[in-house]
Amino acid sequence: MKYLSAKAAGLVACHVCGRLSREVRTVEKARCPRCGAVLHQRKVDSLTRTWALLIAAAILYIPANVLPMMQTRSLLGNSSDTIMSGVIYFWTSGEYDLAIVVFTASILVPMLKLIALSLLCVTAQRGTRWKPHQRTRLYHMVEFIGRWSMLDVFVVALMVALVNIQSLAVIQAGPGIVAFGSVVVLTMLASMQFDPRLIWDQIRDDDTEQDDHD
């Protein structure tokens, strides 16, 4: 069965507010009548932008896990804690639930997001027909999880505020928190730049060719 796409019907959706408008070809760039954003059929250079953001995030993922997230100065001495050392501390202290949450949100989820987005980019770039429904669900899952990936940043900010108020010690955010926050932001931007319609392009083209032959 052949379906009529919005592009074939001469319609274009605004990527900012989602309003569907009639595509009018003019010398100047067409703009959305609702929000004024520039209208275009697809996200411009979607794969190029996504790959650039993913590579930057993958590079920063290393210092995010190696550099200290938190630096503490007290009467007992100075200490620096990375994400993994925090997980180990919670685990050896018997706080297994907290250790699992921190490990999942701060180490596992960013790594899985990088792998998932790389998989989506590779399959879209190669025009594979492999499980488009599952890949589309994977994309929406990555996009949803992205907003919940700042757990370590929130925890460090809360501890800095509470401890400094009580004057128990001096806690400062370490350089690792900057790298970690950058990884989260870059992966979120990468998922926003990826156009999920690329997953279905090859299938659409094959169906069109089959209809032409029929």
Side-chain angles (χ1 to χ4, degrees):
M1 181 182 294
K2 186 176 181 181
Y3 296 96
L4 180 65
S5 63
K7 183 177 181 180
L11 300 173
V12 58
C14 176
H15 290 280
V16 177
C17 69
R19 188 184 191 277
L20 199 63
S21 306
R22 180 71 61 180
E23 185 179 18
V24 179
R25 298 185 180 277
T26 58
V27 177
E28 298 181 355
K29 293 181 179 179
R31 293 187 175 274
C32 174
R34 176 189 289 169
C35 66
V38 177
L39 294 175
H40 44 83
Q41 287 286 352
R42 293 295 182 89
K43 295 179 181 179
V44 182
D45 296 328
S46 172
L47 285 176
T48 304
R49 293 170 184 264
T50 306
W51 272 124
L53 292 166
L54 275 179
I55 293 171
I59 293 172
L60 288 172
Y61 182 76
I62 298 173
N65 287 279
V66 173
L67 296 177
M69 291 282 288
M70 188 171 61
Q71 297 173 333
T72 307
R73 294 200 305 271
S74 66
L75 296 176
L76 300 177
N78 302 333
S79 63
S80 298
D81 295 299
T82 62
I83 296 176
M84 200 62 204
S85 67
V87 172
I88 295 172
Y89 172 78
F90 287 132
W91 187 268
T92 55
S93 301
E95 300 290 341
Y96 303 118
D97 294 339
L98 191 55
I100 292 172
V101 169
V102 173
F103 176 79
T104 302
S106 302
I107 296 178
L108 190 61
V109 169
M111 181 177 63
L112 291 178
K113 283 172 62 181
L114 289 171
I115 294 172
L117 286 171
S118 299
L119 174 66
L120 292 172
C121 287
V122 169
T123 53
Q125 201 163 16
R126 299 180 65 178
T128 179
R129 295 171 55 92
W130 175 69
K131 296 183 179 180
H133 291 281
Q134 286 79 358
R135 282 188 286 150
T136 303
R137 291 195 195 99
L138 178 62
Y139 167 74
H140 290 303
M141 189 183 301
V142 169
E143 201 174 30
F144 174 78
I145 292 175
R147 67 196 72 175
W148 302 101
S149 302
M150 297 289 278
L151 177 65
D152 266 11
V153 179
F154 294 144
V155 169
V156 171
L158 183 62
M159 289 186 65
V160 168
L162 290 176
V163 174
N164 287 344
I165 287 174
Q166 296 177 8
S167 300
L168 299 175
V170 177
I171 295 182
Q172 295 178 331
I177 201 169
V178 178
F180 180 80
S182 300
V183 171
V184 174
V185 172
L186 288 170
T187 51
M188 289 176 63
L189 291 174
S191 65
M192 292 170 60
Q193 289 298 323
F194 181 79
D195 195 336
R197 288 173 293 186
L198 294 170
I199 298 172
W200 298 91
D201 279 347
Q202 185 62 37
I203 297 171
R204 230 181 263 120
D205 293 341
D206 291 345
D207 291 343
T208 302
E209 291 178 5
Q210 186 175 358
D211 291 339
D212 292 339
H213 289 308
D214 293 341

